[in-house]
Amino acid sequence: MRERILSAAREELAYRGLKFSVRELTARLGISSKTLYQHFASKEELITAITLAEIEEMKRRELAIREDTSLTVAEKLREALLVLPGSLAVKDFRLLDDLRRSYPEAWEHAERYLVEGWRGVEQLVEEGVREGTIRRFDLDLLIQMYVGSTHRLLEVRSERMTSGEALRNMVDIFLDGIRVKN
């Protein structure tokens, strides 16, 4: 039942964002709120469980990217940078913004991962430096720029592009710069 609840809650998130109600969720499932509360003490606990599951999925995706022998180190780095907030944001950075404002426990886990989940990226950068495809740079500065830019994307609501497009453009600028290559 716990997995059914999590699955239905993800569907509600995709449809209504974090503003879905427990009543809407239980109606979707055809269960009572008492049944739901036997598995999750509160909506916050449910949102936190979803957040933690998303973080675990991102870790699995990052590992799969690092182990994919068909990708170059630079391609792995690009994909790893796209995984980080992409899963948590579902399709819209507003979801992360709502998470930050309304669900502090879940946000704490998401923020910790956004800030600390960089070991795989660090390994890819070191590998790229060793093979001569990535130049040495201050990784801590890149992380601060990335996290700061991601937070800024949370605040800016663009009609020009989706959050996924904004993230991809941001990563392209980080990795390729703005100069035309000869």
Side-chain angles (χ1 to χ4, degrees):
M1 176 57 73
R2 184 175 171 86
E3 287 307 313
R4 272 189 63 216
I5 293 170
L6 286 170
S7 179
R10 284 186 180 102
E11 291 172 13
E12 287 294 323
L13 278 170
Y15 183 66
R16 302 181 203 285
L18 286 167
K19 295 184 182 358
F20 76 87
S21 70
V22 169
R23 183 177 305 179
E24 292 162 338
L25 178 59
T26 56
R28 177 184 285 268
L29 287 162
I31 63 172
S32 69
S33 57
K34 181 180 177 184
T35 301
L36 184 135
Y37 288 125
Q38 288 174 342
H39 297 277
F40 297 95
S42 65
K43 184 178 174 186
E44 169 119 12
E45 185 178 306
L46 175 61
I47 297 300
T48 299
I50 291 170
T51 302
L52 290 170
E54 289 293 321
I55 290 169
E56 288 306 311
E57 177 58 26
M58 284 186 286
K59 288 177 180 179
R60 282 190 289 278
R61 287 176 52 204
E62 289 173 5
L63 181 60
I65 289 166
R66 287 196 313 271
E67 293 177 348
D68 187 340
T69 57
S70 71
L71 298 174
T72 67
V73 172
E75 290 168 333
K76 290 177 183 183
L77 183 58
R78 181 178 309 278
E79 292 304 312
L81 289 172
L82 290 170
V83 164
L84 205 53
S87 292
L88 286 172
V90 185
K91 290 179 184 157
D92 191 338
F93 279 129
R94 286 176 284 202
L95 187 60
L96 270 180
D97 192 35
D98 289 346
L99 189 71
R100 177 177 59 184
R101 285 186 285 106
S102 303
Y103 297 94
E105 183 181 339
W107 174 251
E108 183 180 319
H109 293 289
E111 171 118 80
R112 186 176 315 120
Y113 184 70
L114 286 170
V115 173
E116 297 173 0
W118 288 91
R119 184 65 189 135
V121 168
E122 183 179 11
Q123 291 170 345
L124 289 170
V125 168
E126 290 169 1
E127 184 179 342
V129 168
R130 277 193 308 276
E131 73 180 22
T133 58
I134 295 175
R135 69 175 179 83
R136 290 201 179 279
F137 64 92
D138 185 332
L139 181 60
D140 289 334
L141 179 59
L142 174 74
I143 292 169
Q144 291 304 313
M145 291 167 53
Y146 185 92
V147 171
S149 298
T150 303
H151 281 284
R152 181 67 179 132
L153 286 175
L154 292 177
E155 297 167 1
V156 176
R157 305 203 195 291
S158 174
E159 301 300 321
R160 294 184 304 118
M161 65 180 78
T162 67
S163 56
E165 291 167 336
L167 179 62
R168 187 164 294 283
N169 283 321
M170 183 183 84
V171 168
D172 286 346
I173 292 169
F174 278 142
L175 295 180
D176 300 329
I178 60 173
R179 293 187 308 175
V180 175
K181 295 181 182 174
N182 294 336

